[in-house]
Short mmCIF file of all heavy atoms in Angstrom, two decimals:
data_model
loop_
_atom_site.label_atom_id
_atom_site.label_comp_id
_atom_site.label_asym_id
_atom_site.label_seq_id
_atom_site.Cartn_x
_atom_site.Cartn_y
_atom_site.Cartn_z
N GLN A 2 -10.83 -61.31 10.45
CA GLN A 2 -9.75 -61.15 9.51
C GLN A 2 -8.46 -61.59 10.09
O GLN A 2 -8.14 -61.32 11.35
CB GLN A 2 -9.71 -59.86 8.86
CG GLN A 2 -10.94 -59.52 8.06
CD GLN A 2 -10.73 -58.12 7.42
OE1 GLN A 2 -9.90 -57.36 7.65
NE2 GLN A 2 -11.66 -57.77 6.51
N GLU A 6 -1.36 -65.14 4.99
CA GLU A 6 -1.81 -65.53 3.60
C GLU A 6 -1.40 -67.07 3.45
O GLU A 6 -0.23 -67.30 3.90
CB GLU A 6 -1.10 -64.58 2.61
CG GLU A 6 -1.45 -64.94 1.27
CD GLU A 6 -0.81 -63.94 0.22
OE1 GLU A 6 -0.42 -62.95 0.58
OE2 GLU A 6 -0.80 -64.38 -1.06
N HIS A 7 -2.13 -67.75 2.73
CA HIS A 7 -1.79 -69.18 2.49
C HIS A 7 -1.69 -69.31 1.09
O HIS A 7 -2.34 -68.82 0.22
CB HIS A 7 -2.94 -70.02 3.18
CG HIS A 7 -3.13 -69.92 4.57
ND1 HIS A 7 -2.37 -70.52 5.48
CD2 HIS A 7 -3.96 -69.11 5.14
CE1 HIS A 7 -2.84 -70.21 6.74
NE2 HIS A 7 -3.79 -69.29 6.57
N SER A 12 1.37 -80.80 -5.89
CA SER A 12 1.39 -82.02 -5.08
C SER A 12 2.74 -82.76 -5.04
O SER A 12 3.09 -83.36 -4.06
CB SER A 12 0.34 -83.10 -5.54
OG SER A 12 0.60 -83.47 -6.84
N GLN A 14 5.43 -81.26 -4.75
CA GLN A 14 6.45 -80.52 -3.92
C GLN A 14 5.86 -80.25 -2.50
O GLN A 14 6.33 -79.47 -1.75
CB GLN A 14 6.77 -79.13 -4.57
CG GLN A 14 7.56 -79.21 -5.84
CD GLN A 14 7.81 -77.93 -6.34
OE1 GLN A 14 6.85 -77.17 -6.75
NE2 GLN A 14 9.06 -77.48 -6.47
N ILE A 16 5.31 -80.31 1.30
CA ILE A 16 6.20 -80.54 2.41
C ILE A 16 5.30 -80.82 3.70
O ILE A 16 4.40 -79.90 3.96
CB ILE A 16 7.06 -79.25 2.67
CG1 ILE A 16 7.97 -79.00 1.50
CG2 ILE A 16 7.95 -79.46 3.95
CD1 ILE A 16 8.72 -77.68 1.39
N GLN A 18 4.62 -82.15 7.78
CA GLN A 18 5.10 -82.22 9.14
C GLN A 18 6.41 -81.46 9.38
O GLN A 18 7.33 -82.05 9.98
CB GLN A 18 5.21 -83.72 9.54
CG GLN A 18 3.97 -84.50 9.44
CD GLN A 18 4.13 -85.92 9.67
OE1 GLN A 18 5.10 -86.54 9.36
NE2 GLN A 18 3.07 -86.58 10.24
N GLY A 25 14.76 -62.33 11.73
CA GLY A 25 15.97 -61.72 11.74
C GLY A 25 17.13 -62.71 11.41
O GLY A 25 17.12 -63.21 10.34
N ASP A 26 18.08 -62.82 12.27
CA ASP A 26 19.19 -63.72 12.06
C ASP A 26 18.99 -65.15 12.60
O ASP A 26 19.84 -65.98 12.51
CB ASP A 26 20.40 -63.17 12.77
CG ASP A 26 20.96 -61.91 12.20
OD1 ASP A 26 20.51 -61.40 11.13
OD2 ASP A 26 21.82 -61.20 12.82
N SER A 27 17.78 -65.37 12.97
CA SER A 27 17.38 -66.64 13.60
C SER A 27 16.56 -67.48 12.66
O SER A 27 15.66 -67.08 12.05
CB SER A 27 16.60 -66.44 14.81
OG SER A 27 17.32 -65.91 15.91
N ALA A 29 14.52 -71.25 12.77
CA ALA A 29 14.11 -72.45 13.56
C ALA A 29 13.57 -73.46 12.54
O ALA A 29 12.70 -73.14 11.66
CB ALA A 29 13.02 -72.06 14.63
N SER A 32 10.53 -80.42 13.01
CA SER A 32 9.83 -81.58 12.58
C SER A 32 8.68 -81.86 13.63
O SER A 32 8.86 -81.98 14.72
CB SER A 32 10.75 -82.76 12.60
OG SER A 32 9.99 -84.02 12.24
N LEU A 38 8.36 -84.40 18.46
CA LEU A 38 8.70 -83.11 18.09
C LEU A 38 10.22 -82.90 18.16
O LEU A 38 10.76 -83.18 19.24
CB LEU A 38 8.03 -82.12 18.95
CG LEU A 38 8.33 -80.61 18.80
CD1 LEU A 38 8.02 -80.12 17.36
CD2 LEU A 38 7.68 -79.72 19.80
N HIS A 42 17.52 -74.58 16.42
CA HIS A 42 17.45 -73.12 16.27
C HIS A 42 18.82 -72.68 16.04
O HIS A 42 19.83 -73.01 16.67
CB HIS A 42 17.07 -72.48 17.61
CG HIS A 42 17.06 -71.17 17.57
ND1 HIS A 42 17.39 -70.40 18.72
CD2 HIS A 42 16.70 -70.10 16.66
CE1 HIS A 42 17.35 -69.06 18.47
NE2 HIS A 42 16.87 -68.96 17.14
N ILE A 43 19.05 -72.02 14.77
CA ILE A 43 20.37 -71.44 14.33
C ILE A 43 20.28 -69.95 14.35
O ILE A 43 19.41 -69.35 13.78
CB ILE A 43 20.62 -71.99 12.90
CG1 ILE A 43 20.55 -73.53 12.91
CG2 ILE A 43 21.99 -71.57 12.44
CD1 ILE A 43 20.42 -74.15 11.46
N ASN A 45 22.38 -67.30 12.77
CA ASN A 45 23.38 -66.97 11.80
C ASN A 45 22.72 -66.19 10.62
O ASN A 45 21.88 -66.71 10.08
CB ASN A 45 24.00 -68.34 11.34
CG ASN A 45 25.15 -68.06 10.32
OD1 ASN A 45 24.86 -67.76 9.14
ND2 ASN A 45 26.32 -68.19 10.74
N TYR A 52 17.81 -69.46 3.89
CA TYR A 52 16.54 -70.09 4.14
C TYR A 52 15.38 -69.15 3.55
O TYR A 52 14.44 -69.62 3.11
CB TYR A 52 16.36 -70.57 5.58
CG TYR A 52 16.79 -72.00 5.76
CD1 TYR A 52 18.01 -72.24 6.30
CD2 TYR A 52 16.04 -73.12 5.36
CE1 TYR A 52 18.42 -73.57 6.62
CE2 TYR A 52 16.36 -74.31 5.56
CZ TYR A 52 17.58 -74.56 6.14
OH TYR A 52 17.93 -75.85 6.33
N ALA A 54 15.64 -67.07 1.14
CA ALA A 54 15.66 -67.09 -0.22
C ALA A 54 14.87 -68.43 -0.75
O ALA A 54 14.24 -68.44 -1.83
CB ALA A 54 16.97 -67.11 -0.79
N GLY A 58 11.51 -68.66 -3.06
CA GLY A 58 11.36 -69.46 -4.30
C GLY A 58 10.18 -70.34 -4.27
O GLY A 58 9.46 -70.57 -5.27
N TRP A 60 7.43 -69.98 -2.37
CA TRP A 60 6.20 -69.04 -2.35
C TRP A 60 5.89 -68.53 -3.79
O TRP A 60 4.76 -68.53 -4.12
CB TRP A 60 6.52 -67.89 -1.41
CG TRP A 60 5.40 -66.97 -1.12
CD1 TRP A 60 5.06 -65.87 -1.83
CD2 TRP A 60 4.28 -67.20 -0.28
NE1 TRP A 60 3.90 -65.29 -1.23
CE2 TRP A 60 3.47 -66.13 -0.39
CE3 TRP A 60 4.05 -68.23 0.69
CZ2 TRP A 60 2.21 -66.13 0.44
CZ3 TRP A 60 2.78 -68.25 1.51
CH2 TRP A 60 2.10 -67.10 1.33
#
Side-chain angles (χ1 to χ4, degrees):
Q2 293 183 352
E6 181 179 346
H7 302 276
S12 60
Q14 291 182 298
I16 300 168
Q18 299 176 329
D26 294 346
S27 292
S32 172
L38 174 65
H42 178 216
I43 304 166
N45 180 286
Y52 268 101
W60 188 258

